[in-house]
Amino acid sequence: MHILICENSIDGIFSGIYHAYERRYGHKNTQLSTSEGIDTYQLFCEYEDIPPDATISQKVANTLISRMGTEVYYEICQAISAYESPREQKKYINKAEAVYKTVVLGLSISHGSKVLDYLGSPYVNRVFQLSRSTFNEAHHMLGFLRFSELENGILFSRIHPKNYILPLLADHFTDRLPQENFIIYDEPRKVAAVHKSGSRYMLAEAPHVNENFLTRFSDQEQEYRSLWLTFFHSIAIEARKNPKLQSQNLPKRFWQDTIELSGTP
């Protein structure tokens, strides 16, 4: 068995798929895995590291779009963007392998755009589950994400998502707020979506941020924060507080990004 190890990203997994075809070992004799998906090495298997390559990744993306359609392509990208916990990696099919074998199936049937209807395939089923996880969190976050106006007028939001949903959020708010300068910062991944008024957004690695600068809010922002906290606490009924229900409606990992629940005005 030939096992190709790729980076846990769209470019990484697409590069792995490209090389899986290029090596011609046969799809039954080839597996794709991210480095996180390998717990122990198996006997009688050959392992090869595949570096991510943006040019190769784009070739694979073009093939998927032309042969299977844009909808399937986006579903696959959402699946790749999903987070897999160590428990999930042991319990379910590895994400890279699921995507790889789904692509193989999609390219082998006459109507590749219908490949995600083949839910009887464990690979397709896994891709569907991962894609749904990413989509659901992004949909939830669209109604939850908070922007704060900094003293220089930039709208800033800090998020802590489980899945890599930053591009989905940036696309949405670029369309909704085309004339605003805003930044959405994915703190766990240290990546920021930066949007300049009148243009498209760009993704940038942000391993170090100036926390002092990001907490210097405009006077208007401070006023609205104070008003919102006053309203939030004034309508609360002490006897009806239900933290368990509250955490079901809004997971605790999001609380740190809300001023009324984080305890930070």
Side-chain angles (χ1 to χ4, degrees):
M1 181 66 68
H2 299 270
I3 300 178
L4 306 182
I5 305 172
C6 57
E7 181 183 86
N8 186 9
S9 67
I10 292 175
D11 282 347
I13 292 178
F14 280 2
S15 297
I17 292 173
Y18 179 90
H19 285 285
Y21 274 88
E22 186 184 53
R23 297 294 190 272
R24 300 182 183 278
Y25 296 138
H27 299 307
K28 291 184 179 180
N29 302 317
T30 305
Q31 288 183 4
L32 206 62
S33 177
T34 60
S35 57
E36 299 93 333
I38 295 182
D39 191 14
T40 57
Y41 285 85
Q42 305 174 45
L43 292 173
F44 312 114
C45 290
E46 296 182 13
Y47 293 83
E48 181 180 356
D49 289 319
I50 303 297
D53 187 308
T55 302
I56 287 176
S57 174
Q58 189 59 54
K59 290 180 180 180
V60 174
N62 293 339
T63 299
L64 296 183
I65 293 171
S66 63
R67 296 282 297 278
M68 290 186 268
T70 304
E71 184 177 346
V72 172
Y73 168 72
Y74 282 126
E75 291 277 357
I76 288 175
C77 288
Q78 285 181 176
I80 295 174
S81 300
Y83 168 75
E84 284 186 302
S85 67
R87 183 187 66 83
E88 289 175 318
Q89 290 171 1
K90 293 179 180 180
K91 184 177 180 181
Y92 301 109
I93 298 171
N94 180 272
K95 175 171 62 178
E97 176 72 357
V99 171
Y100 166 42
K101 295 300 168 60
T102 297
V103 169
V104 170
L105 176 60
L107 295 179
S108 68
I109 60 179
S110 56
H111 300 288
S113 61
K114 303 294 185 182
V115 66
L116 295 181
D117 293 339
Y118 288 68
L119 293 176
S121 163
Y123 304 108
V124 175
N125 195 283
R126 182 60 180 152
V127 167
F128 175 79
Q129 291 174 355
L130 291 168
S131 176
R132 183 172 57 180
S133 174
T134 300
F135 175 82
N136 287 346
E137 184 175 37
H139 180 72
H140 182 81
M141 187 68 77
L142 289 177
F144 161 76
L145 185 144
R146 307 282 188 87
F147 281 108
S148 297
E149 186 181 60
L150 304 181
E151 63 180 8
N152 60 3
I154 294 176
L155 301 180
F156 177 78
S157 177
R158 190 193 307 265
I159 59 174
H160 296 79
K162 181 178 71 172
N163 304 303
Y164 183 50
I165 60 174
L166 184 59
L168 299 176
L169 299 178
D171 269 334
H172 174 83
F173 286 105
T174 295
D175 291 336
R176 290 291 302 273
L177 306 172
Q179 301 307 316
E180 298 288 347
N181 296 314
F182 67 78
I183 298 172
I184 305 175
Y185 180 50
D186 185 335
E187 188 165 61
R189 295 169 181 81
K190 307 298 181 185
V191 178
V194 182
H195 176 263
K196 182 180 179 181
S197 174
S199 62
R200 295 300 297 175
Y201 73 90
M202 63 176 291
L203 297 175
E205 293 185 2
H208 306 289
V209 296
N210 188 331
E211 291 293 341
N212 180 55
F213 175 76
L214 297 178
T215 55
R216 286 156 54 184
F217 303 117
S218 67
D219 293 338
Q220 189 176 34
E221 174 68 23
Q222 293 282 23
E223 182 179 357
Y224 274 114
R225 282 177 168 240
S226 178
L227 288 172
W228 169 245
L229 285 174
T230 300
F231 169 76
F232 180 80
H233 291 299
S234 65
I235 65 170
I237 301 175
E238 188 67 28
R240 292 187 178 181
K241 283 188 177 181
N242 190 339
K244 184 177 180 180
L245 178 62
Q246 197 171 37
S247 63
Q248 290 176 354
N249 293 328
L250 185 65
K252 284 190 174 182
R253 58 193 170 87
F254 294 149
W255 289 17
Q256 58 190 312
D257 299 321
T258 61
I259 61 172
E260 66 271 23
L261 297 175
S262 66
T264 304

